[in-house]
Amino acid sequence: MKNTLYIVGVVIVLIAVLGILLTMSGGQQQTTTAPPAGTQTTQPATTTKVFKLGALLPLTGGFSSYAKLAQCAAELALDELNSEYASKGYKFELYVEDTQLDPNVAAQKLQSLYARGVRAVHAGLTSREASGEKPFADQNHIILFSAWSTSSLLALPNDWLYRIVGTDAKQIRAIGAVLKELGVKKVALVYRKDAYGEGLYLELQKEAERRGFKLVSVAAYDPDPKAFPQAAPEAVKKISSEVKDLVGPDFALVIVSFEDDGSVVLNAIGQDPVLSKARLIGTEGMAYSPILLQEGGNVMANGKIIGTANWALATTPEYQQFAQKFRAKCGAEPITPAPQSYDIIKMLGEIMATIGTDDPDKVRATLEQWGKEGRYKGATGTVLLDENGDRANPSFILWGVTVKNGKPQYIDIGFYNYDKDTIEFTQEGKQYFYG
């Protein structure tokens, strides 16, 4: 009984002490103060919504130098998206996979991205990769947006492949304008036998009828790395035997290649007694390649090569701002496909931030709407997409190779205006073109 009274007394004392403490503090730990009516308070975001983006790039293989530029440009766009939309509680993540320039590997890497929850992807740079990725993307509703796939064979409505560049049908118009301006009437073609090469061959046949020149010789080669070291020289040899009496001022050889196989093609041309005297016409897959300049620069300069490439007009404020940031981050010049890759990631990210979701069906519907209306304007200008999801308003640069101080280097010859079907030369380019 005594112990019980003692315990009760202790409890009473503790309650009294607690009451004194609460009185001294005013009980503030139990109260909240509401802000005055009409005022706003900024609270840090308690949750972060993550938007996932993918990039399938040939970081090894015949397009690696271009792919590394594309990757850095995509990372630049990601940096900007995270900076611009962090206040909304949005975070963007980029998952990069190496396609090795192989359509089968590209398909496998796309499936890997899909398993990680990625539903919007910077597609492989080339039509070769895109053709491997496309079936799985169409089946599983994955947006593929390519920076450099141009094959007309992939220009299909209602699919999941979009391209921020014009198709080969548009590039061939630029090549046709070059051939017409040069007075070329006889054309030979050596090309890699894949979706890119076959698409250009198909369009060149149509352009021959439209422009009035004749395809006098055509040879294709297997672009597989195990095959082209032998197959490409054999294709060059075949053409040489068929045009040995035709090479002259009204003859030109069109080359459709990438980097590794292009080096072999150029080397074979340089050693050939017939084609080493021919005027050369290059295509987008060769444009401004440092590897081709190193390994085949003298051959291109000797053939006074004129090439085409989907390009970004360097005179716009948007391009100049991008170029400055790209040089600072990447330590390189922002040649194609860097501006295109930047715009792909930036455009997809801005769409997700605008509609508040990365649901592929909703992102795709908004991409098509923006493509029709020209809602996005970036490093490559205003992006307009046609009924097949391809660039409706491409710009093309003409490039060449000349030797200065004993070393071959690229030069800008001019621009091809697709709408007017005309060529506008730079001062140096005009002399190169006609000289």
Side-chain angles (χ1 to χ4, degrees), residues 59-123:
L59 296 170
T60 56
F63 246 36
S64 59
S65 66
Y66 294 117
K68 290 170 184 175
L69 296 177
Q71 180 179 4
C72 195
E75 291 171 349
L76 173 61
L78 193 82
D79 292 343
E80 293 182 6
L81 288 168
N82 280 319
S83 176
E84 293 169 12
Y85 294 106
S87 61
K88 285 191 173 184
Y90 294 159
K91 180 183 179 181
F92 295 85
E93 295 179 351
L94 181 66
Y95 299 84
V96 181
E97 295 283 354
D98 180 12
T99 66
Q100 301 173 32
L101 202 62
D102 185 312
N104 296 318
V105 174
Q108 295 169 8
K109 295 301 178 69
L110 179 60
Q111 293 173 33
S112 175
L113 290 178
Y114 181 80
R116 299 165 79 176
V118 180
R119 299 293 184 270
V121 177
H122 179 307

Side-chain angles (χ1 to χ4, degrees), residues 166-310:
T167 65
D168 290 334
K170 295 181 172 66
Q171 182 182 184
I172 283 295
R173 279 195 63 181
I175 291 175
V178 169
L179 295 173
K180 179 181 178 182
E181 190 70 21
L182 288 171
V184 170
K185 297 298 182 182
K186 298 183 287 288
V187 175
L189 170 68
V190 57
Y191 72 96
R192 47 185 295 128
K193 194 173 180 61
D194 58 7
Y196 176 62
E198 292 287 355
L200 276 170
Y201 175 34
L202 177 65
E203 295 301 333
L204 190 62
Q205 290 177 300
K206 297 176 183 177
E207 190 71 5
E209 294 181 8
R210 198 170 78 87
R211 298 280 189 183
F213 59 83
K214 183 178 180 181
L215 278 172
V216 294
S217 179
V218 176
Y221 60 89
D222 187 343
D224 187 280
K226 297 178 182 179
F228 73 69
Q230 180 177 349
E234 289 176 353
V236 170
K237 185 177 180 180
K238 173 182 179 295
I239 289 178
S240 176
S241 66
E242 294 176 352
V243 303
K244 59 183 179 180
D245 297 324
L246 301 178
V247 173
D250 65 344
F251 173 88
L253 172 63
V254 178
I255 306 169
V256 180
S257 69
F258 293 161
E259 288 185 319
D260 289 355
D261 55 312
S263 298
V264 174
V265 170
L266 289 172
N267 183 59
I269 291 172
Q271 296 178 11
D272 187 88
V274 175
L275 296 180
S276 60
K277 300 181 176 66
R279 185 71 182 245
L280 304 180
I281 304 295
T283 43
E284 188 165 60
M286 305 169 66
Y288 296 90
S289 164
I291 292 175
L292 290 181
L293 190 66
Q294 178 180 346
E295 299 186 10
N298 287 320
V299 177
M300 290 192 288
N302 184 61
K304 298 196 67 176
I305 194 168
I306 299 171
T308 57
N310 277 273

